[in-house]
């Protein structure tokens, strides 16, 4: 999985006044926790969040605080209710030998026959939670839809990733090809034509 780098500074004060002052400077108060180490309260420029937030991808984060690198994932984020500015962020440390649970995007490959027949492709789950060691988690889950006809789907239970467990309900539908009015009408016309053919002879 790709990694985004951020540079942070330790926070000397953690009161409300300090928080307001940081936000006026365009900085976001953050917390890094997890593992045996203590929590680290720090701040980063709000612009450093752009590669994390303005992308459909899920990425790991390498945070450099006072010259020390920390590998983490974005665990939680708070936004301003009016202008959507980032107010606060929590980061969770990750380690190569400890499993993590993280949501990764779902993408499709191929062309579904059902779509060519007039059906509509419906991606019901845009992200799927996976659990595994950080190095085993894929950047995305790619599903082959080239065999899906109208009314068919791919469920969570059909997804298999080596050394990684899918944490979603096994019976949940991830992607499906739904029938549309045009597709139903075309099917009915074909059936009617087939039924009338012997009579015409």
């Amino acid at each position: 999985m790709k990694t985004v780098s951020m540079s942070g500074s330790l926070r000397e004060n953690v009161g409300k006044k300090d928080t307001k002052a940081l936000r006026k400077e365009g900085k976001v108060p953050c917390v890094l926790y997890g593992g045996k180490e203590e929590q680290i309260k720090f701040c980063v420029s709000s612009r450093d969040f752009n590669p994390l937030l303005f992308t459909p991808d899920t990425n790991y984060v390498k945070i450099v605080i006072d010259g020390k690198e920390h590998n983490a994932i974005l665990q939680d984020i708070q936004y301003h209710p009016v202008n959507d500015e980032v107010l606060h962020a929590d980061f969770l440390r990750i380690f190569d030998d400890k499993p993590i649970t993280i949501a990764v995007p779902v993408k499709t490959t191929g062309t579904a026959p059902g779509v060519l027949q007039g059906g509509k492709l419906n991606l019901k789950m845009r992200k799927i939670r996976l659990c595994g060691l950080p190095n085993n988690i894929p950047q995305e889950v790619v599903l082959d839809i080239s065999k899906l006809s109208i009314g068919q789907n791919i469920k969570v239970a059909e997804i298999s990733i080596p050394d990684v467990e899918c944490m979603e309900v096994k019976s949940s539908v991830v992607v499906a090809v739904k029938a549309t009015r045009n597709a139903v009408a075309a099917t009915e016309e074909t059936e009617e034509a087939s039924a009338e053919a012997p009579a015409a002879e």
Side-chain angles (χ1 to χ4, degrees), residues 128-194:
I128 287 181
R129 290 178 300 126
L130 302 178
C131 180
L133 296 178
N135 291 333
N136 293 335
I137 302 290
Q139 184 72 40
E140 57 197 20
V141 174
V142 181
L143 301 180
D144 184 2
I145 60 171
S146 60
K147 296 182 180 180
L148 293 185
S149 297
I150 293 177
Q152 293 185 323
N153 57 57
I154 297 176
K155 295 181 178 179
V156 171
E158 300 173 58
I159 299 175
S160 178
I161 303 172
D163 302 316
V164 174
E165 182 181 358
C166 186
M167 305 304 290
E168 308 295 346
V169 178
K170 302 300 182 184
S171 59
S172 296
V173 174
V174 182
V175 61
V177 177
K178 286 190 171 184
T180 60
R181 291 182 179 179
N182 292 337
V184 172
T187 302
E188 291 177 348
E189 289 178 1
T190 302
E191 292 176 350
E192 290 177 0
S194 298

Side-chain angles (χ1 to χ4, degrees), residues 97-127:
D97 58 347
K98 292 185 178 181
I100 61 170
T101 298
I102 189 170
V104 302
V106 177
K107 295 187 178 180
T108 60
T109 183
T111 301
V115 173
L116 299 178
Q117 297 163 2
K120 182 180 180 181
L121 187 69
N122 186 6
L123 186 59
K124 292 181 173 289
M125 300 178 67
R126 298 192 176 276
K127 285 192 173 184

Side-chain angles (χ1 to χ4, degrees), residues 24 63 78 178 180:
K24 285 184 179 180
I63 309 171
Q78 298 174 16
K178 286 190 171 184
T180 60

Side-chain angles (χ1 to χ4, degrees), residues 7 16 38-39 66 74 83-84 86 90 107 116 132 142 149 176 183 194:
S7 180
K16 291 183 178 180
E38 295 182 356
Q39 286 189 1
D66 285 358
L74 180 61
N83 55 29
D84 285 337
V86 179
D90 291 347
K107 295 187 178 180
L116 299 178
V142 181
S149 297
S194 298

Side-chain angles (χ1 to χ4, degrees), residues 10-22:
L10 287 174
R11 295 175 59 191
E12 296 180 1
N13 302 308
V14 293
K16 291 183 178 180
K17 289 184 179 180
D18 178 67
T19 299
K20 288 182 179 180
L22 287 174

